[in-house]
Amino acid sequence: TNGVAVRTLVAMALSEAASPEAVDPLIRLLADAEPEVVRQAAAGLGRTGDPRAGPPLFALLARQPALKQSILDAMRKSTGARGLIPLLSGATDPNIKREIVEMLRDTHDPGAADALAGLANDPDEELKLTAALGLADLGDMRAVPTLLALARGANETAAQDAIDALRS
C-alpha cells in the first residue's frame, strides 16, 4: 500500500510539473498496475501538451477500456493534429475513430485539413459529418460536396448541421 501511495504521489507531482522532462516518466507510469496511478499519469500527460503523449495514451486505451474517458480526455488535452493524424490511421474501433476525428476537428489546425478531407466520403455517416464540419471550420472548400450531400440526406440532424456549416 505504501508503494502505491508513493507511486500515486510521484504521478501527481509529475502531473503538476507538466514539463517536457515529465513526459517520459509519466509514460512509464502508464504501465502501473494501480488504476489511480495510471489516471494521474494520463492526466499529467494531458497537461503537458506534449505530442509524445498521444501514442502511449492510445496504447493504454486498448489495454484499459475501463479508463476510456480519462484517457480520451488526456489525449484531447495533450495531442495536437500532428499527433492525432497517425493515431487516426491506427484506430480500428469505430467509436475511438470518431472520438479522434472530433479531437482533430477541435484542434482547428489547418494541418488537419488533408486528413479530414480523406474522411469526407467515409461510409460512417457520423465520421463523414464530423470531418466535413472540421473542414468547414477551417474554411476548406473540400467540405462543400459532402455537406451538400448530407444536407439532402435523410438524417435530419446531420442535414441541419450541414446546412448551418454551409451558411457559415
Side-chain angles (χ1 to χ4, degrees):
T1 311
N2 257 354
V4 171
V6 169
R7 290 192 316 276
T8 303
L9 284 172
V10 167
M12 290 171 72
L14 288 168
S15 176
E16 288 300 315
S19 67
E21 294 77 26
V23 172
D24 289 331
L26 286 168
I27 288 171
R28 285 193 294 280
L29 286 169
L30 291 178
D32 199 278
E34 178 59 38
E36 186 54 32
V37 172
V38 174
R39 266 193 286 283
Q40 289 293 333
L45 283 169
R47 283 190 200 103
T48 67
D50 193 301
R52 294 176 291 164
L57 288 170
F58 191 61
L60 175 63
L61 191 57
R63 287 193 322 269
Q64 300 277 347
L67 297 176
K68 178 183 175 185
Q69 198 54 55
S70 304
I71 295 164
L72 289 173
D73 289 345
M75 286 174 63
R76 189 175 299 278
K77 293 174 186 168
S78 68
T79 311
R82 198 172 16 187
L84 289 169
I85 292 167
L87 289 177
L88 181 61
S89 63
T92 54
D93 179 301
N95 292 321
I96 300 301
K97 194 169 186 174
R98 287 185 203 114
E99 289 272 356
I100 294 171
V101 172
E102 185 68 41
M103 287 183 233
L104 203 51
R105 177 185 177 200
D106 289 345
T107 67
H108 300 284
D109 183 338
D114 288 342
L116 292 170
L119 298 168
N121 294 312
D122 197 272
D124 182 320
E125 193 86 0
E126 187 178 332
L127 195 75
K128 180 174 26 182
L129 175 62
T130 304
L133 292 173
L135 285 171
D137 292 345
L138 295 171
D140 191 308
M141 294 304 288
R142 292 178 286 182
V144 173
T146 302
L147 291 172
L148 287 171
L150 289 167
R152 292 186 205 110
N155 180 331
E156 287 184 30
T157 304
Q160 191 57 55
D161 288 347
I163 291 167
D164 292 344
L166 285 165
R167 279 191 190 119
S168 67

